[in-house]
Amino acid sequence: MSQVSVPLPFIHVPERSAGNSRLLRAAAAGWLVLALTGQMVFALYVAVFYGGAALAGAPERWNVVLPRGWDATEPLANGVLALHLSLAVVLLLAGAMQLVPALRRARPAVHRWTGRVYLSAASVLAIGGLGLVWLRGGAAGDLSQHLAISANALIILGCAVLAWRAARARSFDQHRRWALRVFVAASGVWFFRVGLMAWIGLHGAPVGFDPKSFSGPFLTTLAWAVYVVVPLLVLEAYLRARASGSAAAVLAVSALLGVVTAVMAFGIVVASIGMWGPRIY
C-alpha cells in the first residue's frame, strides 16, 4: 500500500490503470497510515511493558498478559520468549521502514538491508511461535487457535522464501508481491488483537467466548480469519484491482478497504485505551 501522492511500495502500476487508481490509492494510503500508526503503538507497548519489566528485574510481570510468560524453572524457554518479544519490535520497525517509498528510492541499500532483517525476523518469529505453541504450551487459546497460528507461521515462512528467491532472481515485481504477503501475514498477531478489541468494544463485554479459558466460537473464527484468510484475500483483491484498472474492481476494493480501515481504527482506539496505553504509562 502507499501514500496518496506516490506509487504503492513494492508494486509497479501500469500506465493504463493510473486514471482509475486514484480512489484505490487513497483508500490504501488511509489503511497504511492507520496500520503503521497502530503497529508503532503496539511496538511501544511491547518494548515498554516487557522490556521495562525485564530491565526492572521483574520479568514475572509478563504473566499478567502471557500465560506462563515467565517461569523461573525454565531459563531456556524464558530466553526464547525474550528473543521472540525483542524480534517482534524489530519486525514492526523494519516493516514500517520497508513501506516508506521515499526511503526505498533515496536509499536502496538501506531498503535492501532492512528487507533482509525483516524477512529474517519474520522467519525466526514464525519458527519461534511454533515452538512456543507446541513445545512449551505458552500460547493462550484452544487447539483451533493454535492450528490457525501454526498455519500463519507456515504462510509466513513460505512467502518469505518466495520473496527472497524472487529478489535473488531479480524478479522485482514478484518479490514485491511476495514481500507484501509476508507483511500482512506477519501482522496476524496484531490483527488478532485489534479485531478482538473491536469486538469487545462493540459489545461492551466478551461475547462468543470465555475470557477465562480464552476459547469459544468467536475466537476460533477470528483466529482463522486474521491469521490465514482475510488479510491475504484483501491484499490479493487490491493487487488484482490495481493491475486491472477496472473501474468496477477499483470501486469495490476501495469500499472494502474503507470498511476494513474503519473497523481497524475502532479496534486500535479500544486497544490503545484499554490494553496497550495503560501498560505504557
Side-chain angles (χ1 to χ4, degrees):
M1 297 167 189
S2 80
Q3 298 177 359
V4 178
S5 61
V6 297
L8 177 72
F10 303 129
I11 301 299
H12 172 68
V13 183
E15 288 297 323
R16 59 187 177 84
S17 67
N20 292 329
S21 68
R22 293 177 183 175
L23 177 63
L24 188 59
R25 194 179 297 126
W31 180 91
L32 177 65
V33 170
L34 182 65
L36 293 184
T37 300
Q39 291 191 5
M40 291 306 98
V41 175
F42 183 55
L44 181 62
Y45 152 71
V46 173
V48 170
F49 176 71
Y50 294 102
L55 291 174
E60 64 275 5
R61 293 178 192 168
W62 297 358
N63 297 335
V64 174
V65 178
L66 296 176
R68 297 186 62 197
W70 175 268
D71 188 336
T73 66
E74 297 185 7
L76 178 60
N78 293 335
V80 170
L81 179 57
L83 176 63
H84 191 81
L85 294 168
S86 300
L87 284 177
V89 176
V90 172
L91 182 80
L92 292 166
L93 295 176
M97 292 179 67
Q98 286 296 100
L99 292 173
V100 177
L103 178 62
R104 179 168 58 90
R105 291 194 302 268
R107 296 288 186 271
V110 173
H111 175 79
R112 287 193 297 271
W113 278 104
T114 304
R116 294 183 182 113
V117 170
Y118 183 79
L119 290 180
S120 298
S123 299
V124 172
L125 280 168
I127 295 170
L130 289 172
L132 290 171
V133 168
W134 297 109
L135 298 180
R136 191 187 189 197
D142 57 15
L143 178 61
S144 65
Q145 295 173 57
H146 296 169
L147 290 172
I149 292 171
S150 301
N152 177 256
L154 295 177
I155 290 170
I156 292 170
L157 291 170
C159 291
V161 169
L162 291 169
W164 177 79
R165 289 181 60 183
R168 293 277 294 176
R170 303 189 67 81
S171 179
F172 295 122
D173 185 61
Q174 288 299 315
H175 164 70
R176 292 160 186 166
R177 290 171 181 269
W178 285 114
L180 276 176
R181 293 178 181 117
V182 175
F183 176 76
V184 297
S187 298
V189 170
W190 182 79
F191 289 141
F192 185 89
R193 283 158 174 75
V194 169
L196 174 61
M197 296 309 291
W199 179 261
I200 293 175
L202 177 64
H203 294 280
V207 174
F209 69 96
D210 177 10
K212 291 184 179 180
S213 64
F214 205 68
S215 63
F218 169 72
L219 292 180
T220 296
T221 301
L222 178 66
W224 283 96
V226 300
Y227 285 127
V228 180
V229 180
V230 175
L232 289 170
L233 283 181
V234 172
L235 174 61
E236 192 63 29
Y238 177 86
L239 294 175
R240 290 176 180 270
R242 186 80 165 174
S244 72
S246 164
V250 165
L251 182 61
V253 175
S254 296
L256 174 62
L257 281 173
V259 172
V260 170
T261 302
V263 173
M264 199 168 69
F266 181 60
I268 290 171
V269 170
V270 176
S272 297
I273 294 174
M275 183 165 55
W276 302 332
R279 294 190 175 105
I280 292 175
Y281 301 106

